[in-house]
Amino acid sequence: MPALRQRPASLGGPFLPALRAGDPAGAALGVADRQTVESVANRTGAATVTSTATLDKHVLRELMAVVGHDYVLHEPTDLMVFEYDATIGRSMPQVVVLPETAEQVSEVVKLARRHGLPVTPRGAGTGLSGGAIPEMGGLTLALTRMKRILEVDHQEGVALVEPGVVNLDLSRAVKPYGLYFAPDPASQRACTVGGNVAENAGGPHCLAYGVTTNHVLGLELVLADGEIVWVGGRTRDLPGYDLTGAVIGSEGTLAIVTKILVRLLRLPEAVRTLLVVFDEMDQASNAVSAIIGQGFVPAALEMMDREVIQAVEPVLHVGYPMDADAVLLIEVEGVREAVAEEGEAIEKICLAQGAREVRVAEDGPERDRLWAGRKGAIGALGQLMPNYYVLDGTVPRTRLPEVLRRVGEVGQKYGFRIANVFHAGDGNLHPNVLFNARQPGETERALEAGSEIMRICVDAGGTITGEHGIGTEKRKFMHWVFSDDDLEVMSRLKVVFGAGELFNPGKMFPTDEGSGEVGPAQIMRSTGPDAYI
Ligand SMILES: Cc1cc2nc3c(=O)[nH]c(=O)nc-3n(C[C@H](O)[C@H](O)[C@H](O)COP(=O)(O)OP(=O)(O)OC[C@H]3O[C@@H](n4cnc5c(N)ncnc54)[C@H](O)[C@@H]3O)c2cc1C
C-alpha cells in the first residue's frame, strides 16, 4: 500500500463541522455541545458551520451523480431512521448516502471533505456505544448495500467480503465448506462485518478463539483524501507495522473499511452444550473462576442472572428454570473424545461449586434452543421494562462475585432492577439497567447508575469496555484508564492516517474542556503546523 502521510493544512485546513442541538438524552450522554466545539475552533482558528438545517441542492446533486438518485436520502422522514443506534443517544444526519462500491465511497468522501461535511460510517446500527450516531450532523455513509461475499478460498480458509455483509450470513455462506467466521456477537443476525471490524466485536465464542482482530487478515480502506489503499494481506505474519490491527477497533475514526479479508475456522467435529443451574449467583461466579483456574478454556462460558431468566423464559420458552438465581451456558467443542472428557470434567467442577443441576443438550435443536435464549436475552428485557441501558465493562474473573454484588447495590441505591447477561469466561460484564424513559429524570438516573457501575469495574482492576467500544457513551470515562499523554499519542494516529476530524468526529476521545482534552488544538500542538486536522 502507498505510504500514509501527513497532509498539509492547505489541503483541507482545520475542520469543524456543524453541530446539532443535542436532545436531553444526548446531552446526558456527554454529546459534544456547540460551545465546546466552538471554543476549540476559536483556539485553532477554524471556522464553525452555524447552519445545520439543509444541504445546498448542488451538494445533493453532486452526491446523486456519484451513487444514483435513489441512494441519497435527505427528507427528514428518511433521515430519522439513521439518528439511532442501539444506545440511548440520538442525532440526525443532514444527508445519508448509500454507496455500492469502494470507488463510490472514495468519491463521496472527497465530496464531503470539499464541502466540510463530517462523515459517519454506519453498518447495521446495532452498536452499543453511539458510534454510528452522527452527533455533529453531516453525512452518514451507510454501507449496507456493499454486502457481497466476493470470494471464498476454502482450501486456505479465507474469504473476501464487503463491509455490509451480515455476520451470520457469512457463516451460513461458508458452512457448506465446513467453515465459519468465529466472531459471533449476540446481534449476529443483524450486525455487519464492517461494524464488527470497527468495534473489534466479540461474542460468546470469542473466549477460546479471540475477537474480530484475530480473524481479519487484511482490509481495503478509503482514506480521508479519497485514496483507496490496502493494509495487511493474505500472507500471515506480514513484516512491518500492523496497520490492520490499528484500524480494527478504531470505531470509524481513521478510515472507511470497504473490503475485509477474513480468516475462517473449520467447524468442530463435536460440540457439547451444558446448561448449569445455580441457586446462588456467587456459586455460578465461583464456578467460572474454577473452570478457567483448572486449565479449561471452553468455546463459550456465558452467565445469565435471575432477572434475565425471568425475561427470557416466558417469551422464548427455551427451558431455563424460572426459580434459579443464575445459569451458565457452557460449550466445549473439538474432537469427539476430547469434548466428552472436557464436558465431564467441567460438569464435575460445577457440581463441586454447588450447581443444583447440569443439563446436557441432547441434540442440535435443543442446543439451538438454549442459545436462542442467550442470543435473544437483551431483546427479551423489553418484557420487564420499556427501556434498558446496556453496559459493557471488563473485570478480572476472580473479582466477579464481588463486582456483581456491588452492581446489585447500585441497582438498590437508584431503585432500578439490573439484569446481567454476559461473557463470564473473559470477565466481560453486561449489566442492563432497566428503566422507563417516560418517567421524568429516569434516563439521567439510569446513566448515573451506569457511570457508577463502570467505576466499580475500573476500581476492581478492569476496564470500561470489553467489546462495545467507546463511541460517545464512554469517552468521558477514558481519563479513568488512560493518562493525558496516552490519549494524545493515540489521537496522533488520526493525523498519521490523514483522517483529522473528517471521520466520526467527537468519538472515542474525551471532548470535555480542561485536563485531558484531546481535540484538534492538542493534536496541532503535538504534531506541528503541517498536520491536517
Ligand atoms: C442485542 C445486541 C447484542 C449485542 N451483542 C454483542 C456481542 O455479543 N458482542 C459485541 O461485540 N457486540 C455486541 N453488540 C453490539 C454491536 O452489535 C456490535 O458492536 C457490532 O459490531 C456493530 O455492528 P453494526 O454493523 O451494527 O455497526 P454500527 O452500529 O452501524 O457501527 C458501529 C461502529 O462502526 C463504525 N463503522 C461501521 N461500518 C464501518 C465501516 N465499513 N468502516 C468504518 N467504520 C465503520 C461506525 O461508525 C460505528 O462507529 C450487540 C448489540 C445488540 C443490539
Side-chain angles (χ1 to χ4, degrees), residues 18 30 60 129 285 294 421 451 495 502 526:
L60 294 176
S129 54
S285 304
Q294 293 187 33
V421 45
S451 297
V495 179
L502 182 66
S526 61

Side-chain angles (χ1 to χ4, degrees), residues 6 488 492 495 522-533:
Q6 284 193 353
E488 193 174 317
R492 283 190 211 161
V495 179
Q522 200 159 348
I523 299 171
M524 280 282 250
R525 272 200 301 278
S526 61
T527 52
D530 284 345
Y532 166 67
I533 308 288

